[in-house]
Amino acid sequence: MGNALSAVTTGAVSSYYNPALSAFSEYRTGSATFGILSLDRYLNFLSYTQSLPANAGLSAGIINAGVRDIDGRDNDGYHTEYYSTTENQFYLSFANQIDEHVSIGVTVKMYYTKLFDQLTTTTVGFDAGMLISATDQLTIGLVAQDLGSKYKWDTQTIYGQNGKTTEDKFPTLYRFAASYKLPWKGALIDAEFEHSSDKTDVFRVGGEYAFMEQFSLRGGADRWTLSDAGTGVKPSFGFTVTSPFDGWTPALNYAYVVEGFAPHGMHIVTLTLTF
């Protein structure tokens, strides 16, 4: 759905997009995601969400991404060894409905990143979000993401006295999102606008239609910018197949994401269990 999910409260909600969403989780939901990407990249995701008495919610997750098989060469151009990078995010979210129509939430995130050999960094950041149920059909989301997040690198472990310490601050992201349930049962559209502290602006849009309880189709577009400096629009589409039984609802989710600057698009497969 183009990652425009900061105001979507239906289905298996994810507090990654908005910490306030977990308060709207009606059941316990666990999910595991596996990504098939080009250029030796990988992307994996584990998450768990559940409601808490009386009007709260809790969510936790791990995101793992990186690049394998980077060709290392010496000064003469001969192959030496293969390198890899990895980035990991561990997060814990809590949300509470302070009013029948308003939910607020906060996420604590820890990043662990390995860039090269002994060059690693660990940092902590925060997200804050609000969700407003304006009407039975319209939901509005407000999010501030990566507050205080930064990487701090110390290359003295590699270069000794010639090394130095540098900091790479994450841009803070501010999102305004809206989700609207259409008159047809199981249909909704969503859109959001994101502004960053680096002065970039991004639009996202998506939609979903459930043909029946066991089958839904989705589509959207991510990274839609109004400047020439953008990274390219990323259209996406996918589906969900479910088969409820005895109070358990397993689901298979598939999404294909078009990447304009890669040899082929991303295949994202997610297994979800709601109980």
Side-chain angles (χ1 to χ4, degrees):
M1 295 172 67
N3 280 327
L5 299 171
S6 299
V8 177
T9 59
T10 58
V13 299
S14 175
S15 64
Y16 170 81
Y17 298 97
N18 186 343
L21 285 172
S22 58
F24 287 83
S25 178
E26 299 180 7
Y27 308 97
R28 291 170 291 178
T29 302
S31 67
T33 297
F34 175 72
I36 302 174
L37 288 71
S38 60
L39 303 175
D40 297 316
R41 297 169 298 160
Y42 59 90
L43 175 65
N44 305 297
F45 181 35
L46 292 173
S47 70
Y48 175 78
T49 303
Q50 73 167 59
S51 59
L52 296 173
N55 299 300
L58 179 73
S59 181
I62 302 172
I63 303 174
N64 166 246
V67 183
R68 302 185 181 96
D69 297 331
I70 300 173
D71 187 11
R73 304 260 172 171
D74 60 19
N75 291 334
D76 296 320
Y78 291 103
H79 172 78
T80 55
E81 61 181 298
Y82 287 104
Y83 298 99
S84 63
T85 67
T86 181
E87 290 188 272
N88 304 276
Q89 180 192 115
F90 308 86
Y91 71 84
L92 179 65
S93 300
F94 176 78
N96 187 43
Q97 286 186 263
I98 60 175
D99 179 82
E100 181 181 0
H101 303 287
V102 180
S103 170
I104 59 173
V106 63
T107 297
V108 181
K109 304 188 295 187
M110 186 185 77
Y111 291 91
Y112 171 75
T113 300
K114 179 182 177 183
L115 184 61
F116 172 80
D117 197 16
Q118 304 176 56
L119 190 58
T120 63
T121 182
T122 303
T123 188
V124 174
F126 302 90
D127 298 345
M130 175 181 289
L131 202 68
I132 304 170
S133 297
T135 68
D136 291 339
Q137 292 77 34
L138 178 63
T139 306
I140 297 172
L142 303 171
V143 183
Q145 193 171 49
D146 280 321
L147 299 168
S149 299
K150 62 182 178 181
Y151 284 157
K152 185 175 182 179
W153 308 101
D154 184 359
T155 58
Q156 292 184 8
T157 57
I158 299 176
Y159 301 116
Q161 294 182 350
N162 294 323
K164 62 179 182 179
T165 300
T166 58
E167 288 187 355
D168 292 326
K169 293 183 178 180
F170 287 31
T172 302
L173 308 177
Y174 304 96
R175 291 199 296 274
F176 173 81
S179 175
Y180 186 78
K181 296 178 181 177
L182 297 171
W184 310 285
K185 184 179 180 180
L188 64 85
I189 56 174
D190 48 87
E192 65 181 49
F193 170 75
E194 177 185 277
H195 176 75
S196 80
S197 57
D198 282 349
K199 310 301 181 183
T200 61
D201 297 314
V202 174
F203 294 94
R204 300 183 179 93
V205 64
E208 174 187 46
Y209 182 72
F211 288 89
M212 59 186 71
E213 184 181 356
Q214 294 82 14
F215 184 73
S216 302
L217 280 179
R218 301 183 181 90
D222 192 0
R223 296 187 183 178
W224 182 12
T225 66
L226 299 180
S227 68
D228 295 333
T231 55
V233 178
K234 296 176 66 175
S236 59
F237 60 89
F239 62 86
T240 294
V241 178
T242 63
S243 181
F245 70 94
D246 196 24
W248 299 70
T249 306
L252 171 65
N253 307 272
Y254 170 78
Y256 180 79
V257 183
V258 178
E259 291 191 290
F261 302 114
H264 58 76
M266 301 165 53
H267 301 272
I268 307 296
V269 179
T270 301
L271 298 177
T272 302
L273 181 64
T274 302
F275 54 100

